[in-house]
Amino acid sequence: MHQQPATVLWNHIVGPNCFRLGLSCQRGFEAAVPGQFVMIQSGPALTPLLRRPFSIFGVIGTPGHPEGIEVLYKALGRGTHQMAQWTPGRTVDLLGPLGRGFAVAPEARRIYLAAGGMGVAPIRFLATHLIAGGADATGIRLFLGGRSQEDLLCADEFRSLGISVTLSTDDGSAGLQCLITDPLEQAIRQAPPDLVCACGPHGMLQCVSGIAEHHSVPCQISMETMMACGMGACLGCAVPAADTQAGYRHVCVDGPVFSVGQVDMG
């Protein structure tokens, strides 16, 4: 983990209120893994006071020699609306990489990726990481869902990697009109994978966890939650452990990636 100044390289709009932010970093991301995150200070003023957490969307540079990182964010609140105004050359305060990421065993061949909305960010990093590591793209499938077509980001990037993409939307404006968990479960029934990796809203992750447990498929989920410090000090991101004797787990240090069965999804 490093706290450092980072320089804005680009801040492209990629969807309604959605931005792809490139940051040049001096050090610390050589060993960054998919699922880890960073904390970014959105402005010099006291409001908002706290940094905001963002999944690492990708690493800029060559393998082993990163020059920076990318994050994907949606301008919703005061902090992210300030970020939407950033231009190349601006210096921002960056803390990371933080947390525990996905752990994919080398022997895993059939891998299903599930992403809901902005949950595509760590899943995109995971996909590029797997392909760069020599994984066979024909064994990887992406299930990408959103409320409407506007919420489906990066599908073409996955396709360019050779990954099969299944889309779904709540309103039927793109892909199947259903929850993304429907085609995911159907695929698991037809050809159980070695691993499912998912990120998205809590309800989606709750459903994915249930499907994985029902079909006895290994599954890792990246949880999205509010957090203030990113280092386990504020206890603001506590979630109940599946083992009641264990009490609580903290998404920032114990996660954000958990194996199904480690946390109580409710």
Side-chain angles (χ1 to χ4, degrees):
M1 177 189 69
H2 296 271
Q3 182 179 355
Q4 61 184 295
T7 303
V8 174
L9 297 174
W10 57 76
N11 195 20
H12 303 315
I13 188 164
V14 293
N17 297 318
C18 295
F19 295 81
R20 185 167 171 167
L21 173 68
L23 296 172
S24 174
C25 310
Q26 299 173 355
R27 62 193 187 282
F29 290 90
E30 296 82 3
V33 297
Q36 288 188 302
F37 65 98
V38 295
M39 301 289 288
I40 298 177
Q41 183 69 51
S42 60
L46 293 179
T47 305
L49 175 63
L50 302 173
R51 291 184 178 87
R52 295 291 186 265
F54 299 95
S55 293
I56 300 174
F57 181 67
V59 174
I60 303 167
T62 58
H65 298 86
E67 299 172 5
I69 61 168
E70 281 191 292
V71 299
L72 189 70
Y73 71 94
K74 193 167 189 175
L76 294 174
R78 182 190 295 269
T80 46
H81 273 103
Q82 289 179 355
M83 290 172 59
Q85 304 305 313
W86 290 354
T87 55
R90 182 189 178 104
T91 300
V92 301
D93 187 271
L94 178 71
L95 181 66
L98 299 165
R100 298 178 183 272
F102 291 101
V104 180
E107 61 270 19
R109 293 292 179 267
R110 182 179 290 128
I111 303 169
Y112 292 169
L113 310 176
M118 298 302 289
V120 73
I123 298 300
R124 183 263 187 180
F125 185 15
L126 177 58
T128 57
H129 183 79
L130 290 171
I131 297 301
D136 184 355
T138 61
I140 304 174
R141 292 187 62 179
L142 171 71
F143 299 83
L144 178 62
R147 293 180 179 177
S148 67
Q149 184 175 8
E150 294 178 341
D151 297 317
L152 303 178
L153 302 175
C154 311
D156 287 340
E157 285 197 53
F158 288 92
R159 293 190 184 103
S160 70
L161 295 172
I163 295 173
S164 171
V165 178
T166 298
L167 304 177
S168 77
T169 51
D170 295 350
D171 63 5
S173 55
L176 304 169
Q177 186 172 10
C178 62
L179 298 176
I180 196 60
T181 49
D182 291 348
L184 173 64
E185 182 169 25
Q186 182 178 6
I188 290 174
R189 286 174 176 167
Q190 293 175 347
D194 299 312
L195 178 66
V196 175
C197 297
C199 184
H202 181 83
M204 172 195 152
L205 296 183
Q206 187 179 44
C207 187
V208 170
S209 298
I211 292 170
E213 290 185 313
H214 178 74
H215 294 280
S216 300
V217 171
C219 179
Q220 297 174 19
I221 57 173
S222 178
M223 299 188 70
E224 299 176 330
T225 186
M226 296 296 293
M227 59 180 70
C229 71
M231 296 178 289
C234 71
L235 308 182
C237 62
V239 294
D243 180 358
T244 56
Q245 293 185 343
Y248 288 83
R249 300 188 187 277
H250 300 99
V251 173
C252 64
V253 291
D254 298 320
V257 177
F258 296 95
S259 293
V260 167
Q262 287 187 300
V263 294
D264 182 358
M265 296 302 294

